Amino acid sequence: MKRAFKFRFYPTDTQAAELSRTFGCVRKVYNMALAARTEAWARQERVNYNQTSAILTAWKKTEELAYLSEVSSVPLQQALRHLQGAFANFFAKRAKYPRFKSKRKSRASAEYTSSAFRFRDGHLHLAKMADPLSIVWSRPLPEGAMPTTVTVSRDSAGRWFVSMLCVDTSIKPLPATDTAVGIDVGLDHLLTLSTGEKIANPRHERRDRTCLAKAQRELSRKAKGDGANRRKARQRVAKIHARITDRRRDHLQQLTTRLVRDNQTLVIEDLTVRSMVKNRRPARAISDAAWSEFRGLLEYKAAWYGREVIAVDRFFPSSKLCSTCGTLADKMPLNVRTWTCACGATHDRDVNAAKNLLAAGLAVSVCGAGVRPQRRIPSGRSATKQKRQRREP
């Protein structure tokens, strides 16, 4: 199984200049190739990866684009392959039309294949560089693992990272168990399990909200443009956002690992977070809770370790349904956290929803995918509708 290992590194001034130049060339080639393919599409002509690769060779021979030959050619070719993948996703209706990469907003990265780097004895040498990267090895690579692809990136906070894609043979399915759990996500509590356990919401963004607001006010006062003061202020804002993101991801990583390790079947609700954040009032809290990231982590770890994740349809009335007698309440406003059913059972809203999700998910396992309110998620993939493929022009 292929697995990416991400580490932070600290480049020298020469390496930073070379990598920054490579990032700019990658962005330039991607945008020019996208423009060429868009113009060809308007003329009803077909342009694929091989043709854009030939066009890149012609660009390098021109006087105004001769600087493209000064950097490694592998990241430039990889940019064309990524563009080909973006068009393939667009024509398969899995994504929108590819967009041009912005110098300020797009991720600065370059991908190197095995022909453009050398990894020996813990030292990584990239093409066009004499010295190895100074990598902080926060964890060892799997024994005998050799990187097949290396991606170097710089985030908006100015931090440098290298991601190594390796074949990891240490990932093996965990011993099967008979435990299953329903998981209800929320804002007061990040997760509520069908066992009755409630996991607190750390609210990472709220902890740094005052500091973030101050940094954003200072940024807004700087003169518009590419001045040094505005660049420094923008980086201070980016560092606060990076700290919030790191804390949130670390918490979710530990949480999902525990859930996957302790349970064979995990049942969640198929929420449309993208639509939910359109409501301005809870949007900030929903984004801070990172429900989509939680689901993504849960799915790929379940695929690794032989667990099963089942998503219950978003229209399933998990909160209004009595988990004891099955009676459906007429209304259940969000401010009602505890309610009593006609059968006499008193329910905590979130625990009751988690129990109903578990019951609905187990019905899928027993009865199969024909049960309408639920959907089974294939290992490592989200449950999405099958969409008709369109042939690329």
mmCIF file of all heavy atoms in Angstrom, residues 40 44 59 62 64 70 73 85 99 110 119 141 156 161 178 196 202 211 224 253 255 266 285 290 312 316 349 372 383:
data_model
loop_
_atom_site.group_PDB
_atom_site.id
_atom_site.type_symbol
_atom_site.label_atom_id
_atom_site.label_comp_id
_atom_site.label_asym_id
_atom_site.label_seq_id
_atom_site.Cartn_x
_atom_site.Cartn_y
_atom_site.Cartn_z
ATOM 1 N N ALA A 40 -7.922 25.543 -27.650
ATOM 2 C CA ALA A 40 -8.153 24.438 -28.571
ATOM 3 C C ALA A 40 -9.581 23.911 -28.456
ATOM 4 O O ALA A 40 -10.208 23.537 -29.458
ATOM 5 C CB ALA A 40 -7.151 23.320 -28.297
ATOM 6 N N GLN A 44 -12.754 23.487 -31.102
ATOM 7 C CA GLN A 44 -13.203 22.099 -31.229
ATOM 8 C C GLN A 44 -12.066 21.180 -31.652
ATOM 9 O O GLN A 44 -12.231 20.274 -32.471
ATOM 10 C CB GLN A 44 -14.370 21.989 -32.213
ATOM 11 C CG GLN A 44 -15.614 22.744 -31.755
ATOM 12 C CD GLN A 44 -16.789 22.530 -32.669
ATOM 13 O OE1 GLN A 44 -16.666 21.938 -33.734
ATOM 14 N NE2 GLN A 44 -17.955 23.001 -32.250
ATOM 15 N N TRP A 59 8.175 25.742 -26.152
ATOM 16 C CA TRP A 59 8.258 26.935 -25.307
ATOM 17 C C TRP A 59 9.684 27.165 -24.806
ATOM 18 O O TRP A 59 10.165 28.299 -24.742
ATOM 19 C CB TRP A 59 7.313 26.800 -24.119
ATOM 20 C CG TRP A 59 5.869 26.965 -24.475
ATOM 21 C CD1 TRP A 59 5.358 27.583 -25.568
ATOM 22 C CD2 TRP A 59 4.751 26.492 -23.712
ATOM 23 N NE1 TRP A 59 3.979 27.525 -25.562
ATOM 24 C CE2 TRP A 59 3.581 26.870 -24.429
ATOM 25 C CE3 TRP A 59 4.606 25.797 -22.522
ATOM 26 C CZ2 TRP A 59 2.307 26.572 -23.975
ATOM 27 C CZ3 TRP A 59 3.341 25.501 -22.062
ATOM 28 C CH2 TRP A 59 2.192 25.878 -22.779
ATOM 29 N N THR A 62 11.997 29.143 -27.089
ATOM 30 C CA THR A 62 11.757 30.558 -27.355
ATOM 31 C C THR A 62 12.600 31.426 -26.426
ATOM 32 O O THR A 62 12.992 30.994 -25.326
ATOM 33 C CB THR A 62 10.277 30.895 -27.175
ATOM 34 O OG1 THR A 62 9.888 30.624 -25.816
ATOM 35 C CG2 THR A 62 9.411 30.057 -28.117
ATOM 36 N N GLU A 64 11.724 34.266 -24.794
ATOM 37 C CA GLU A 64 11.060 34.777 -23.593
ATOM 38 C C GLU A 64 10.781 33.698 -22.567
ATOM 39 O O GLU A 64 10.552 34.003 -21.389
ATOM 40 C CB GLU A 64 9.757 35.481 -23.972
ATOM 41 C CG GLU A 64 8.724 34.598 -24.649
ATOM 42 C CD GLU A 64 8.902 34.559 -26.152
ATOM 43 O OE1 GLU A 64 9.985 34.975 -26.611
ATOM 44 O OE2 GLU A 64 7.968 34.132 -26.844
ATOM 45 N N GLU A 70 16.060 26.254 -17.079
ATOM 46 C CA GLU A 70 16.996 26.396 -15.965
ATOM 47 C C GLU A 70 16.603 25.554 -14.759
ATOM 48 O O GLU A 70 17.423 25.355 -13.862
ATOM 49 C CB GLU A 70 17.078 27.871 -15.558
ATOM 50 C CG GLU A 70 17.589 28.787 -16.672
ATOM 51 C CD GLU A 70 17.574 30.249 -16.269
ATOM 52 O OE1 GLU A 70 17.184 30.520 -15.103
ATOM 53 O OE2 GLU A 70 17.945 31.105 -17.087
ATOM 54 N N SER A 73 13.229 19.527 -15.414
ATOM 55 C CA SER A 73 12.100 19.328 -16.325
ATOM 56 C C SER A 73 11.028 18.416 -15.739
ATOM 57 O O SER A 73 9.878 18.449 -16.187
ATOM 58 C CB SER A 73 12.589 18.737 -17.644
ATOM 59 O OG SER A 73 13.182 17.461 -17.425
ATOM 60 N N GLY A 85 -5.042 15.098 -15.435
ATOM 61 C CA GLY A 85 -5.936 14.503 -14.443
ATOM 62 C C GLY A 85 -7.096 15.415 -14.089
ATOM 63 O O GLY A 85 -8.226 14.949 -13.873
ATOM 64 N N ARG A 99 -8.986 25.482 -13.054
ATOM 65 C CA ARG A 99 -8.791 26.919 -12.899
ATOM 66 C C ARG A 99 -7.303 27.266 -12.959
ATOM 67 O O ARG A 99 -6.440 26.434 -12.664
ATOM 68 C CB ARG A 99 -9.379 27.405 -11.578
ATOM 69 C CG ARG A 99 -10.880 27.256 -11.475
ATOM 70 C CD ARG A 99 -11.392 27.818 -10.169
ATOM 71 N NE ARG A 99 -10.835 27.103 -9.017
ATOM 72 C CZ ARG A 99 -11.095 27.426 -7.753
ATOM 73 N NH1 ARG A 99 -11.881 28.454 -7.487
ATOM 74 N NH2 ARG A 99 -10.573 26.733 -6.771
ATOM 75 N N ALA A 110 6.092 21.403 -5.995
ATOM 76 C CA ALA A 110 6.724 20.790 -7.159
ATOM 77 C C ALA A 110 6.883 19.307 -6.866
ATOM 78 O O ALA A 110 7.289 18.931 -5.762
ATOM 79 C CB ALA A 110 8.077 21.429 -7.461
ATOM 80 N N PHE A 119 17.785 9.285 -2.978
ATOM 81 C CA PHE A 119 17.592 9.108 -1.539
ATOM 82 C C PHE A 119 18.473 7.957 -1.069
ATOM 83 O O PHE A 119 18.259 6.802 -1.430
ATOM 84 C CB PHE A 119 16.123 8.807 -1.231
ATOM 85 C CG PHE A 119 15.824 8.657 0.236
ATOM 86 C CD1 PHE A 119 15.793 9.766 1.076
ATOM 87 C CD2 PHE A 119 15.579 7.410 0.788
ATOM 88 C CE1 PHE A 119 15.530 9.636 2.428
ATOM 89 C CE2 PHE A 119 15.311 7.269 2.124
ATOM 90 C CZ PHE A 119 15.287 8.381 2.955
ATOM 91 N N LEU A 141 10.969 6.270 8.326
ATOM 92 C CA LEU A 141 10.267 5.633 7.224
ATOM 93 C C LEU A 141 10.169 4.127 7.484
ATOM 94 O O LEU A 141 10.974 3.575 8.234
ATOM 95 C CB LEU A 141 10.998 5.888 5.899
ATOM 96 C CG LEU A 141 11.022 7.327 5.380
ATOM 97 C CD1 LEU A 141 11.863 7.412 4.107
ATOM 98 C CD2 LEU A 141 9.621 7.837 5.122
ATOM 99 N N SER A 156 1.494 28.969 3.151
ATOM 100 C CA SER A 156 1.355 30.423 3.218
ATOM 101 C C SER A 156 2.054 31.024 4.430
ATOM 102 O O SER A 156 2.298 32.234 4.464
ATOM 103 C CB SER A 156 -0.128 30.799 3.245
ATOM 104 O OG SER A 156 -0.793 30.148 4.321
ATOM 105 N N PHE A 161 7.913 21.933 3.414
ATOM 106 C CA PHE A 161 7.599 20.544 3.690
ATOM 107 C C PHE A 161 8.009 19.673 2.507
ATOM 108 O O PHE A 161 7.984 20.122 1.353
ATOM 109 C CB PHE A 161 6.097 20.356 3.950
ATOM 110 C CG PHE A 161 5.582 21.056 5.172
ATOM 111 C CD1 PHE A 161 5.016 22.316 5.080
ATOM 112 C CD2 PHE A 161 5.666 20.450 6.423
ATOM 113 C CE1 PHE A 161 4.543 22.963 6.210
ATOM 114 C CE2 PHE A 161 5.211 21.101 7.558
ATOM 115 C CZ PHE A 161 4.643 22.356 7.443
ATOM 116 N N ASP A 178 -16.478 -7.727 17.140
ATOM 117 C CA ASP A 178 -17.927 -7.696 16.956
ATOM 118 C C ASP A 178 -18.529 -6.382 17.458
ATOM 119 O O ASP A 178 -19.729 -6.294 17.697
ATOM 120 C CB ASP A 178 -18.589 -8.871 17.674
ATOM 121 C CG ASP A 178 -18.260 -8.904 19.159
ATOM 122 O OD1 ASP A 178 -17.436 -8.056 19.599
ATOM 123 O OD2 ASP A 178 -18.817 -9.748 19.885
ATOM 124 N N GLY A 196 -22.988 6.334 24.537
ATOM 125 C CA GLY A 196 -23.256 7.376 25.515
ATOM 126 C C GLY A 196 -22.077 8.300 25.747
ATOM 127 O O GLY A 196 -22.220 9.332 26.415
ATOM 128 N N PRO A 202 -13.037 20.888 20.945
ATOM 129 C CA PRO A 202 -11.931 21.755 21.409
ATOM 130 C C PRO A 202 -12.076 23.211 20.961
ATOM 131 O O PRO A 202 -11.474 24.094 21.574
ATOM 132 C CB PRO A 202 -10.690 21.115 20.779
ATOM 133 C CG PRO A 202 -11.108 19.744 20.380
ATOM 134 C CD PRO A 202 -12.561 19.831 20.048
ATOM 135 N N CYS A 211 -6.413 36.708 18.928
ATOM 136 C CA CYS A 211 -5.099 36.911 18.299
ATOM 137 C C CYS A 211 -5.235 37.020 16.786
ATOM 138 O O CYS A 211 -4.579 37.859 16.146
ATOM 139 C CB CYS A 211 -4.175 35.760 18.672
ATOM 140 S SG CYS A 211 -2.488 35.901 18.045
ATOM 141 N N LYS A 224 -1.974 48.590 0.193
ATOM 142 C CA LYS A 224 -2.178 47.529 -0.774
ATOM 143 C C LYS A 224 -0.964 47.398 -1.684
ATOM 144 O O LYS A 224 -0.274 48.370 -1.984
ATOM 145 C CB LYS A 224 -3.421 47.819 -1.617
ATOM 146 C CG LYS A 224 -4.689 48.070 -0.810
ATOM 147 C CD LYS A 224 -5.135 46.840 -0.051
ATOM 148 C CE LYS A 224 -6.440 47.096 0.699
ATOM 149 N NZ LYS A 224 -6.877 45.927 1.486
ATOM 150 N N GLN A 253 -6.747 13.213 14.085
ATOM 151 C CA GLN A 253 -5.960 12.011 13.811
ATOM 152 C C GLN A 253 -6.011 11.043 14.995
ATOM 153 O O GLN A 253 -6.248 9.838 14.830
ATOM 154 C CB GLN A 253 -4.503 12.392 13.518
ATOM 155 C CG GLN A 253 -4.267 13.053 12.174
ATOM 156 C CD GLN A 253 -4.221 12.079 11.019
ATOM 157 O OE1 GLN A 253 -4.464 10.888 11.175
ATOM 158 N NE2 GLN A 253 -3.916 12.579 9.833
ATOM 159 N N LEU A 255 -8.258 10.941 17.361
ATOM 160 C CA LEU A 255 -9.631 10.518 17.599
ATOM 161 C C LEU A 255 -10.053 9.424 16.623
ATOM 162 O O LEU A 255 -10.620 8.398 17.024
ATOM 163 C CB LEU A 255 -10.550 11.730 17.483
ATOM 164 C CG LEU A 255 -12.023 11.537 17.842
ATOM 165 C CD1 LEU A 255 -12.171 11.019 19.257
ATOM 166 C CD2 LEU A 255 -12.777 12.844 17.666
ATOM 167 N N LEU A 266 -18.427 1.290 11.840
ATOM 168 C CA LEU A 266 -18.646 2.672 12.264
ATOM 169 C C LEU A 266 -19.726 3.276 11.371
ATOM 170 O O LEU A 266 -19.610 3.241 10.136
ATOM 171 C CB LEU A 266 -17.367 3.496 12.173
ATOM 172 C CG LEU A 266 -16.168 2.935 12.972
ATOM 173 C CD1 LEU A 266 -15.191 2.249 12.013
ATOM 174 C CD2 LEU A 266 -15.450 4.016 13.740
ATOM 175 N N ALA A 285 -18.618 27.835 13.149
ATOM 176 C CA ALA A 285 -18.480 26.708 14.078
ATOM 177 C C ALA A 285 -18.392 25.388 13.332
ATOM 178 O O ALA A 285 -17.631 24.493 13.724
ATOM 179 C CB ALA A 285 -19.661 26.693 15.049
ATOM 180 N N ALA A 290 -14.723 20.792 11.492
ATOM 181 C CA ALA A 290 -14.079 19.997 10.426
ATOM 182 C C ALA A 290 -14.722 18.622 10.281
ATOM 183 O O ALA A 290 -14.049 17.602 10.326
ATOM 184 C CB ALA A 290 -12.578 19.873 10.701
ATOM 185 N N VAL A 312 -25.308 6.879 6.696
ATOM 186 C CA VAL A 312 -26.774 6.898 6.675
ATOM 187 C C VAL A 312 -27.230 8.156 5.957
ATOM 188 O O VAL A 312 -26.649 9.231 6.134
ATOM 189 C CB VAL A 312 -27.330 6.844 8.116
ATOM 190 C CG1 VAL A 312 -28.840 6.972 8.117
ATOM 191 C CG2 VAL A 312 -26.907 5.550 8.788
ATOM 192 N N PHE A 316 -32.488 10.805 6.961
ATOM 193 C CA PHE A 316 -32.954 9.869 7.970
ATOM 194 C C PHE A 316 -33.198 10.629 9.279
ATOM 195 O O PHE A 316 -32.298 11.297 9.792
ATOM 196 C CB PHE A 316 -31.915 8.774 8.178
ATOM 197 C CG PHE A 316 -32.297 7.749 9.200
ATOM 198 C CD1 PHE A 316 -33.310 6.838 8.952
ATOM 199 C CD2 PHE A 316 -31.639 7.683 10.418
ATOM 200 C CE1 PHE A 316 -33.660 5.886 9.888
ATOM 201 C CE2 PHE A 316 -31.978 6.746 11.355
ATOM 202 C CZ PHE A 316 -32.998 5.840 11.090
ATOM 203 N N ARG A 349 -30.750 14.108 23.164
ATOM 204 C CA ARG A 349 -30.937 14.252 21.724
ATOM 205 C C ARG A 349 -29.795 13.610 20.929
ATOM 206 O O ARG A 349 -30.021 12.846 19.989
ATOM 207 C CB ARG A 349 -31.051 15.734 21.376
ATOM 208 C CG ARG A 349 -31.224 16.009 19.885
ATOM 209 C CD ARG A 349 -30.988 17.477 19.571
ATOM 210 N NE ARG A 349 -31.189 17.749 18.164
ATOM 211 C CZ ARG A 349 -32.299 18.268 17.649
ATOM 212 N NH1 ARG A 349 -33.303 18.573 18.443
ATOM 213 N NH2 ARG A 349 -32.398 18.485 16.360
ATOM 214 N N ARG A 372 -33.392 1.650 1.768
ATOM 215 C CA ARG A 372 -33.316 2.951 1.144
ATOM 216 C C ARG A 372 -32.639 4.047 1.960
ATOM 217 O O ARG A 372 -31.857 4.819 1.412
ATOM 218 C CB ARG A 372 -34.719 3.424 0.743
ATOM 219 C CG ARG A 372 -34.656 4.681 -0.116
ATOM 220 C CD ARG A 372 -36.014 5.255 -0.395
ATOM 221 N NE ARG A 372 -35.944 6.350 -1.320
ATOM 222 C CZ ARG A 372 -35.380 7.512 -1.088
ATOM 223 N NH1 ARG A 372 -34.810 7.726 0.070
ATOM 224 N NH2 ARG A 372 -35.357 8.463 -1.978
ATOM 225 N N ALA A 383 -19.291 7.354 -0.681
ATOM 226 C CA ALA A 383 -20.447 6.838 -1.403
ATOM 227 C C ALA A 383 -21.020 7.956 -2.259
ATOM 228 O O ALA A 383 -21.655 8.865 -1.772
ATOM 229 C CB ALA A 383 -21.500 6.330 -0.420
#
